[in-house]
DNA sequence: ACCCCGATCGTA
DNA sequence: ACGATCGGGGTT
């Protein structure tokens, strides 16, 4: 089982968004398989939080790839992104769906639900995915098929087909479980 | 200092 | 289809 390094995240955001599907995400005592992502890239994307330049909130997006960017939305929910591309390109991947394996088998569909369940808070924004002991992403050899659709809930940049979602979540999770029992 | 709005979710 | 709820960003 191979941990994803900075070199994985330091690539075009659309590519990283697609490649993250089927990867194993670890946060403290939680582990799950990534099922749904959305790409946000500053330059061509008015929906990206970095579109209008750096602020204290979006600072992690302007930092090195392989870190998380967490923000509060609608005053009640948190959303988690993985920062991508070189430092000068402020872009990230929103993690929208995670099939939890541990501590329970639960499909967390939706970025708000995901952060609520894992207790990921904006105070963790900027944490490293490649250097931390309780935050990491692993390749478990899965390349699931996925659908490509428009992104959810946007008023700007709603025409960009930058949402990627695994076609068969249950089957993918079963393959992940098989891999983990054999390794 | 103030105001408006939002990368959501659950219920109707 | 809609309301809850509050930090961020832009404007005064």
């Amino acid at each position: 089982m191979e941990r994803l390094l900075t070199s994985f995240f330091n690539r075009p955001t659309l590519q990283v968004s697609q490649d993250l599907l089927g990867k194993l995400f670890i946060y403290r005592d939680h582990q799950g398989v990534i099922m749904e992502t959305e790409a946000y890239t500053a330059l061509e994307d008015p929906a990206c939080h970095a579109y209008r330049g750096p602020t204290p909130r979006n600072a992690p997006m302007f930092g090195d790839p392989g870190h998380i960017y967490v923000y509060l939305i609608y005053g009640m929910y948190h959303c988690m992104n993985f920062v991508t591309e070189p430092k000068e390109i402020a872009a990230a991947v929103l993690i929208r769906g995670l099939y939890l394996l541990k501590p329970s088998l639960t499909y967390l569909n939706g970025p708000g639900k995901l952060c609520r369940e894992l207790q990921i808070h904006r105070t963790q924004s900027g944490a490293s995915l490649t250097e931390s002991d309780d935050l990491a992403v692993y390749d478990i050899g899965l390349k699931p098929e996925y659908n490509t659709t428009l992104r959810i809930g946007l008023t700007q940049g709603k025409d960009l087909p930058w949402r990627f979602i695994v076609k068969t979540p249950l089957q993918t999770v079963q393959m992940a479980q098989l891999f983990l029992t054999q390794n």
Side-chain angles (χ1 to χ4, degrees), chain A residues 18-151:
Chain A
Q18 295 158 28
D19 291 349
L20 277 171
L21 300 172
K23 296 292 188 286
L24 187 72
F25 174 68
I26 309 274
Y27 179 62
R28 297 191 177 162
D29 53 329
H30 300 273
Q31 69 182 43
V33 183
I34 297 172
M35 291 291 163
E36 181 181 344
T37 61
E38 277 178 2
Y40 288 87
T41 129
L43 294 177
E44 336 133 63
D45 186 4
C48 182
H49 285 183
Y51 189 63
R52 290 166 209 289
T55 67
R57 178 176 67 149
N58 67 23
M61 281 184 133
F62 288 86
D64 291 319
H67 292 247
I68 60 173
Y69 163 50
V70 185
Y71 65 91
L72 182 73
I73 187 68
Y74 298 117
M76 343 171 45
Y77 298 102
H78 286 86
C79 292
M80 177 179 65
N81 300 257
F82 296 168
V83 175
T84 57
E85 311 214 30
K87 205 169 196 159
E88 27 330 330
I89 302 177
V93 178
L94 173 66
I95 310 301
R96 288 192 56 91
L98 185 73
Y99 215 133
L100 213 56
L101 301 171
K102 245 172 83 169
S104 66
L105 192 67
T106 315
Y107 190 7
L108 301 172
N109 56 333
K113 280 188 211 173
L114 196 160
C115 286
R116 186 181 58 189
E117 176 67 25
L118 302 200
Q119 298 181 59
I120 292 172
H121 189 262
R122 62 183 180 282
T123 49
Q124 279 118 6
S125 192
S128 172
L129 284 162
T130 58
E131 292 173 13
S132 161
D133 285 334
D134 53 19
L135 183 64
V137 190
Y138 290 90
D139 189 344
I140 52 172
L142 302 183
K143 290 214 183 303
E145 291 190 8
Y146 57 87
N147 292 310
T148 302
T149 77
L150 299 181
R151 295 177 297 180

